[in-house]
Amino acid sequence: MKSFEMGLTTLEQELSLEQLPIRGHIPAWLSGALFRNGPAYFQGGHWFDGLAMIHKFSFRHGVVSYANRFLRTEAYRRVMNGGSSWRLRRSRGPWRK
């Protein structure tokens, strides 16, 4: 696998993990959440064409938990319902004539 291909790996499952394994030490005072968004479901094409997924890392009392979820967009529903085209349609915003 080439180094960039890992970023194009499709994630198909939504997860919720109560406690991630940790290497090292997480300070007990660290409390909060880190959210990350980006593409996660690819069927070819460009990196920007992946369906969006939100990743949440929660920190509390030295423990880290993780959860992810696909954004429920029109493109997501089309793909999950077996639509023939998974690509988004071009924008029809007011700046386009």
Side-chain angles (χ1 to χ4, degrees):
M1 178 178 282
K2 297 178 184 174
S3 61
F4 68 89
E5 289 177 331
M6 183 176 259
L8 297 173
T9 302
T10 289
L11 298 177
E12 296 182 356
Q13 187 176 18
E14 294 179 335
L15 302 172
S16 182
L17 305 171
E18 294 297 319
Q19 187 170 351
L20 295 178
I22 298 172
R23 220 184 304 172
H25 175 74
I26 303 289
W29 56 262
L30 182 62
S31 180
L34 169 69
F35 289 88
R36 177 186 161 270
N37 71 331
Y41 189 96
F42 301 93
Q43 295 300 313
H46 191 275
W47 186 74
F48 293 149
D49 291 334
L51 296 177
M53 178 176 273
I54 300 292
H55 304 266
K56 178 185 177 187
F57 297 87
S58 297
F59 303 88
R60 185 175 172 131
H61 302 299
V63 174
V64 181
S65 60
Y66 170 81
N68 65 3
R69 184 167 180 190
F70 284 103
L71 293 181
R72 300 312 200 255
T73 62
E74 177 187 337
Y76 173 84
R77 286 187 285 280
R78 192 175 334 126
V79 171
M80 294 302 131
N81 289 328
S84 59
S85 175
W86 66 276
R87 287 183 182 252
L88 294 173
R89 295 179 198 149
R90 290 185 177 242
S91 174
R92 300 285 185 227
W95 57 90
R96 296 199 183 249
K97 302 242 180 200

